Amino acid sequence: MGRSNQPAAVQQLRLGEIRMRDPFILETVPGEFVLFGTSDQNVWGGPATGFDCYTSNDLDHWDGPIPAFRPPPGFWADTQYWAPEVHALEGRFFMFATFADSTRARSRGVAVLVSDQPAGPYQPWSDGPVTPANEPCLDGTLHIDDDSTRWLVYSRGTEGTSDSPGIADGEMYALRLSEDLRTGVGEPILLFAASSAGWTRPLRFPQGVEPPKDLHLAKDPLFTDGPFLLRSNEETLLMLWSSHGEAGYAMGIAESESGTVAGPWIQHDSPLWSSNGGHGMVLRASTGRDYLAFHWPNNTPDERVQLTEVHISGASVRIL
């Protein structure tokens, strides 16, 4: 039996009380914030409820959960609702999020939703995923170049399909989007593989533990997920992204040598966060302060939103 779509009662919570993976914070007007993230209890399987959000005016006290998206009748995806992020464009709000179909009629991919209000309700905008139809993809983030070209940067995870086994070395891609954000345009550009970073390590399951068979994972894979792009004040283009490191889930930084999304991308030697946490984004608040939001720890059901101030200079992101 599926879970109820009825929203929980709205309450005020401190940030550290919110159980959530893959957090994303949008400042809608100066001093008003909306927090999105992966909030379903069953992350890997089972029926998905939708996406909730929380609102705040101080980044500490949050009102929610508020139902931001509930799938309409006939929606193509029913499981693995992950990593929503929202961008304000041309007077509307566009959500990029990962979805999957338990029937496997479509591969897991990144689709686009739209709303006239930052907290929703959001409605489908793209016709299913904008990512390639024949590859399991996840964690799409929007990047707009200086010439206003719109890109989706996303992860090709190490999962496979019944027809195609998973890849052992996860990949990060950029796909140009149509101006209306409804479709992908042309072929994706490979940016880098997980093995290009010296800090990544294979994901090995404990003795006696096997991953779900329907994931068709490669053995001991290196993986990529959680990309987020930002420019420093010196115009250096950086990407936060996550993988498995020496101490579990970790988050690193890549730098574009060309200053464009096409790269080439140079990996920083050491991860920004090395111990069992990741999938981060940077909130550049109207106060002039910059904050790193991510989830830590990575263990279910202990995930919580972490928010810490950072200093960004050149190619450096430093936790304060």
Side-chain angles (χ1 to χ4, degrees):
M1 179 180 294
R3 283 164 285 158
S4 169
N5 281 349
Q6 294 299 315
V10 173
Q11 55 186 318
Q12 187 171 90
L13 299 171
R14 303 294 292 271
L15 184 63
E17 297 176 307
I18 299 175
R19 181 190 167 194
M20 181 180 284
R21 302 175 69 88
D22 318 327
F24 186 92
I25 301 176
L26 173 71
E27 186 173 20
T28 55
V29 297
E32 295 185 12
F33 306 92
V34 186
L35 167 67
F36 302 88
T38 302
S39 51
D40 269 320
Q41 300 299 305
N42 192 339
V43 171
W44 279 107
T49 300
F51 293 121
D52 293 330
C53 65
Y54 296 78
T55 61
S56 174
N57 56 21
D58 66 2
L59 293 175
D60 185 17
H61 300 84
W62 295 84
D63 294 325
I66 300 164
F69 171 70
R70 296 294 183 265
F75 187 62
W76 67 275
D78 62 352
T79 190
Q80 294 179 11
Y81 289 14
W82 298 342
E85 66 167 55
V86 172
H87 297 266
L89 288 170
E90 299 168 354
R92 307 184 81 185
F93 298 88
F94 292 88
M95 177 184 285
F96 298 78
T98 303
F99 299 92
D101 173 13
S102 62
T103 71
R104 301 294 192 268
R106 297 191 188 191
S107 293
R108 185 183 65 229
V110 179
V112 186
L113 313 178
V114 70
S115 175
D116 291 327
Q117 301 295 329
Y122 285 82
Q123 299 296 328
W125 181 247
S126 61
D127 181 15
V130 297
T131 44
N134 60 341
E135 296 179 348
C137 304
L138 68 158
D139 295 352
T141 187
L142 178 68
H143 173 71
I144 301 178
D145 264 347
D146 292 339
D147 64 0
S148 298
T149 301
R150 298 172 180 194
W151 295 90
L152 183 77
V153 176
Y154 67 91
S155 169
R156 165 68 168 97
T158 57
E159 299 86 356
T161 67
S162 57
D163 300 322
S164 177
I167 58 176
D169 196 358
E171 297 167 333
M172 200 72 77
Y173 283 88
L175 174 66
R176 190 161 71 87
L177 296 176
S178 60
E179 188 173 352
D180 64 6
L181 305 177
R182 287 184 184 269
T183 59
V185 177
E187 293 297 315
I189 300 170
L190 175 62
L191 304 184
F192 58 83
S195 60
S196 66
W199 55 266
T200 59
R201 299 291 183 271
L203 174 63
R204 294 190 172 94
F205 289 83
Q207 186 74 25
V209 176
E210 296 292 335
K213 292 185 183 299
D214 60 1
L215 294 181
H216 303 283
L217 277 181
K219 182 174 175 55
D220 300 337
L222 296 166
F223 69 88
T224 57
D225 73 14
F228 178 81
L229 279 69
L230 72 152
R231 285 196 185 276
S232 69
N233 293 336
E234 295 79 11
E235 294 299 311
T236 305
L237 183 61
L238 304 173
M239 184 194 305
L240 305 182
W241 66 283
S242 296
S243 187
H244 193 77
E246 198 69 51
Y249 197 44
M251 177 171 43
I253 301 175
E255 174 188 346
S256 173
E257 197 170 34
S258 68
T260 71
V261 71
W265 289 88
I266 303 166
Q267 304 294 336
H268 288 199
D269 293 336
S270 300
L272 175 64
W273 185 270
S274 61
S275 180
N276 202 32
H279 198 120
M281 60 84 62
V282 170
L283 168 66
R284 312 207 77 172
S286 59
T287 58
R289 293 182 172 182
D290 297 324
Y291 298 91
L292 174 68
F294 62 105
H295 74 255
W296 177 89
N298 194 47
N299 308 76
T300 299
D302 301 324
E303 309 98 320
R304 296 295 184 271
V305 180
Q306 307 297 320
L307 188 67
T308 182
E309 193 168 353
V310 292
H311 177 71
I312 301 169
S313 178
S316 170
V317 179
R318 181 170 56 88
I319 295 175
L320 299 180

